[in-house]
Amino acid sequence: MKNSTSATKRGFSLVAVVIAALALVGCAPATPEPVTPTASDVWIKAVPELMDGMAMTGVFMTLENPSDEDIELVGATNTTEGLSETPLEIHEVVKGDDGEMKMQMVEGGIVIPAKGSVTLKPGGYHVMYWNLLKPIPVGSHVTLTLEFSNGTTRDVDAVARDISTYAG
């Protein structure tokens, strides 16, 4: 009888250990979901009519990163049907060796600092549309999807503005 009591105690002890282990696994921290930066004041430079060599425009906005890690804006995709079939690019305007301002692609993306923000504006960072297929009149809307280095995306709606109203 003594052996069966010891076996029962060992069985209960084993069950208790298994239950405790399962409880601890349930308490293990879950992998946090990646944070998607927010976008505000999203606008696109209006292109009232297409002219030879000028079928391009830029999108501007403020991106805010509430996370504890830097996140880069690494790409964007046009979602406005019939606007452009050319891939969008992330650009910046910089002073060249000759002292002239020039536009170039941003290698690696635009850094949105942890707990900070970055503003895309004329003469600086912007999302570039090439080879427009139709005009973008003032007040019209263009949609695009922003792509971030942490694998998240954000759909945004940009309202077309006359560049002369930019006060930045």
Side-chain angles (χ1 to χ4, degrees), residues 31-37 67 71 150-152:
T31 303
E33 290 293 318
V35 174
T36 304
S67 79
I71 300 173
N150 64 355
T152 62

Side-chain angles (χ1 to χ4, degrees), residues 59 61 73-79 86-90 120 126-129 143-148 153-154 156:
V59 178
M61 68 197 80
L73 172 65
V74 294
T77 304
N78 171 54
T79 55
T86 304
L88 304 184
E89 297 175 353
I90 307 300
L120 285 64
H126 56 279
V127 175
M128 193 72 196
Y129 270 86
T143 56
L144 58 150
T145 300
L146 305 176
E147 303 158 4
F148 300 99
T153 60
R154 175 160 310 277
V156 295

Side-chain angles (χ1 to χ4, degrees), residues 21-83:
L22 290 173
L24 288 175
V25 168
C27 293
T31 303
E33 290 293 318
V35 174
T36 304
T38 61
S40 60
D41 193 27
V42 184
W43 63 284
I44 187 167
K45 179 183 166 220
V47 181
E49 60 182 87
L50 300 181
M51 293 184 250
D52 291 338
M54 294 301 293
M56 63 183 167
T57 193
V59 178
F60 313 99
M61 68 197 80
T62 298
L63 296 170
E64 190 168 338
N65 175 5
S67 79
D68 294 325
E69 310 246 339
D70 291 352
I71 300 173
E72 293 82 27
L73 172 65
V74 294
T77 304
N78 171 54
T79 55
T80 302
E81 190 172 328
L83 183 61

